[in-house]
Amino acid sequence: MALMITDDCTACGACLDVCPNDAIIKGDPIYVINPNLCTECAGYFIESQCVSLCPVDAIIVNPAHVEAYMELLEKDRRIHAH
Ligand code: SF4
C-alpha cells in the first residue's frame, strides 16, 4: 500500500529527505505523499522511513492504494528503471 499524510501533519519537514523515491511533496498547508511513488520503502528498508521519523504519527496506510509487497517491489523497479 502507499501511505498518506493526515491532517495531523505539522509540516515540520522531518519526512522529506528520507524518502528513497522522492514521493513526499511540500503541500500547503500539509505535506503530501504521491501514491504512484510510495512503495512503503520496499526494497530499501524494513520500516517505512517517513513513518519512523514523523513526530506526530501523521503517516498512515492509504486505503485507496492497497498493494501487496511484491507489487510494491515491482513499483520500485519501475520508478528506478532508467
Ligand atoms: Fe517514501 Fe517510504 Fe514514506 Fe513511501 S513509506 S513516502 S517510499 S519514505
Side-chain angles (χ1 to χ4, degrees):
M1 286 172 239
L3 303 185
M4 60 180 284
I5 299 176
T6 71
D7 290 345
D8 291 335
C9 173
T10 60
C12 71
C15 59
L16 266 188
D17 293 335
V18 298
C19 180
N21 300 339
D22 293 330
I24 303 172
I25 302 155
K26 191 177 188 300
D28 181 19
I30 63 172
Y31 286 35
V32 178
I33 293 177
N34 180 343
N36 296 320
L37 294 178
C38 176
T39 59
E40 286 193 61
C41 296
Y44 284 91
F45 305 102
I46 293 171
E47 289 183 309
S48 298
Q49 296 298 285
C50 57
V51 174
S52 300
L53 280 178
C54 181
V56 293
D57 295 330
I59 303 176
I60 62 171
V61 166
N62 186 336
H65 293 275
V66 178
E67 297 155 294
Y69 185 74
M70 293 307 290
E71 292 175 291
L72 293 172
L73 282 179
E74 180 56 33
K75 188 199 283 189
D76 179 68
R77 276 191 217 102
R78 283 198 307 273
I79 291 169
H80 295 282
H82 293 288

